[in-house]
Amino acid sequence: MSDSVVMTSTAPPVTGARGRRSFRRPWMLPYLLITPNLLLFSAFSFFPLLYAFYISFHDWSLIGDVTYAGLANYRRLVADTQFWHALLNTAVYAVASVPTTMAGGLLLAVALNRRMPGRVFLRSVYFLPVVVSAVATGIIAAWMFNEHYGVINSLIVRLGGDRIPWLSSPAWALPSLVIATFWVRVGFCMVVYLAALQSIPTLYYEAATMDGASPSRQFWKITLPLLRPATFLLLILSVIHSFQVFDLIYVMTGGGPGFSTTMLVQYIYQSAFMTSEMGYASAIGVVLYAIVLGFTIIQWRVSRQSENVL
């Protein structure tokens, strides 16, 4: 009987160019996958942002030569009363629209989080304006707020009231935009709050019920504190949206009557494409970018702190 020897051989390490390619391939794959998105972001966001910052220090009318102006555009911006008026309009619009849409979204989320007939249909109805084009919703809102044949004034007249010049009066134009924004944005707030509500463990409510806590007390002591991260996220996103709003206001009022509903983005559009002052419009855009960046940094830091706490 001959002894059988079991030979185990190990493959020699791969060397050379082939080995280097197989070594690099795993860590290079994520970068290769994000390259198309990175190229699109650079072409349509990053480089235009840098160019806008560059143009803000120059005078340019789109068809002439680019002339260096230094800080002249920023000095003009500080002394421009229309810029401060547009900034004030934007701030008033944000203060009026953000809390109302968030409160409405919270109420809808709490109501539609319970078992009730047709809740899926109602959720879809409230969320529908979010997925519809802002131009389409602006046209619908302009029809609804029309002074002569709008459905809102028709309802007011049937109830015995007088017609309200929603879009033609400086006193009523901004409130009409706030109401239209509530209609458009409340569905988004509702969905975020619904997701947050469904992530709360039910054992908290079961323990509170056993201790005799009423539903209202459970809402104030359990639901509202646990919705704090979602509330802060919605606050930042809604403020950023209110500072960037353009299409809804452009369709409904065009920034008027007068200058009563002109926001920062609308003023940038007017300066760039109506008066052909690209340098000055870029300077306003840089200021708007700084404001939005500030809110984004706040959101990022607070979210990081929440992750560290968890």
Side-chain angles (χ1 to χ4, degrees):
M1 181 176 182
S2 61
D3 297 335
S4 60
V5 180
V6 179
M7 302 294 293
T8 59
S9 62
T10 58
V14 180
T15 57
R18 181 181 176 184
R20 286 194 295 270
R21 286 198 300 269
S22 61
F23 174 74
R24 292 177 181 176
R25 196 170 299 157
W27 66 266
M28 289 180 62
L29 182 60
Y31 296 97
L32 292 176
L33 292 176
I34 67 172
T35 297
N37 192 22
L38 186 62
L39 292 175
L40 291 175
F41 173 79
S42 301
F44 295 102
S45 295
F46 184 68
F47 290 125
L49 176 63
L50 294 180
Y51 191 66
F53 187 78
Y54 167 79
I55 291 296
S56 67
F57 295 97
H58 296 75
D59 288 331
W60 185 35
S61 62
L62 285 176
I63 56 175
D65 296 331
V66 179
T67 306
Y68 180 73
L71 297 175
N73 289 322
Y74 291 94
R75 287 194 294 265
R76 175 187 170 186
L77 186 146
V78 173
D80 187 3
T81 57
Q82 289 188 337
F83 165 76
W84 293 108
H85 193 180
L87 181 60
L88 178 62
N89 288 340
T90 308
V92 172
Y93 172 78
V95 171
S97 62
V98 171
T100 53
T101 54
M102 291 180 60
L106 178 58
L107 293 176
L108 288 175
V110 172
L112 297 178
N113 193 39
R114 304 172 181 176
R115 293 186 179 275
M116 57 182 298
R119 67 172 182 174
V120 176
F121 173 75
L122 291 175
R123 290 176 183 177
S124 303
V125 169
Y126 287 117
F127 189 72
L128 185 61
V130 180
V131 298
V132 176
S133 170
V135 175
T137 55
I139 293 174
I140 296 173
W143 288 343
M144 294 173 62
F145 284 101
N146 188 275
E147 181 179 355
H148 303 288
Y149 55 82
V151 63
I152 296 179
N153 271 345
S154 298
L155 181 61
I156 293 175
V157 170
R158 289 187 179 183
L159 294 176
D162 297 328
R163 296 182 180 274
I164 298 176
W166 291 104
L167 303 179
S168 60
S169 170
W172 288 102
L174 191 57
S176 66
L177 293 176
V178 173
I179 297 173
T181 302
F182 177 86
W183 172 53
V184 173
R185 293 283 298 177
V186 71
F188 176 77
C189 298
M190 177 197 69
V191 169
V192 174
Y193 275 129
L194 269 175
L197 285 172
Q198 293 174 2
S199 65
I200 299 177
T202 57
L203 59 91
Y204 294 153
Y205 298 102
E206 294 173 356
T209 302
M210 294 178 62
D211 291 339
S214 62
S216 61
R217 187 171 181 83
Q218 293 180 21
F219 174 79
W220 290 105
K221 297 298 182 179
I222 299 176
T223 305
L224 210 56
L226 293 178
L227 290 180
R228 191 175 301 164
T231 300
F232 185 80
L233 173 65
L234 277 176
L235 176 63
I236 299 299
L237 293 179
S238 299
V239 170
I240 292 175
H241 173 268
S242 62
F243 272 84
Q244 292 180 330
V245 66
F246 173 76
D247 36 17
L248 182 67
I249 297 176
Y250 182 79
V251 172
M252 289 186 63
T253 64
F259 208 78
S260 59
T261 60
T262 300
M263 309 295 171
L264 279 180
V265 179
Q266 181 79 18
Y267 193 44
I268 293 173
Y269 172 80
Q270 293 177 359
S271 301
F273 300 106
M274 298 181 69
T275 60
S276 298
E277 296 176 304
M278 291 298 297
Y280 186 60
S282 299
I284 303 173
V286 170
V287 174
L288 178 60
Y289 171 77
I291 295 173
V292 174
L293 180 63
F295 285 108
T296 305
I297 292 175
I298 293 174
Q299 176 192 357
W300 178 75
R301 288 188 174 181
V302 172
S303 61
R304 289 291 298 272
Q305 291 176 0
S306 301
E307 292 177 358
N308 293 333
V309 170
L310 295 176

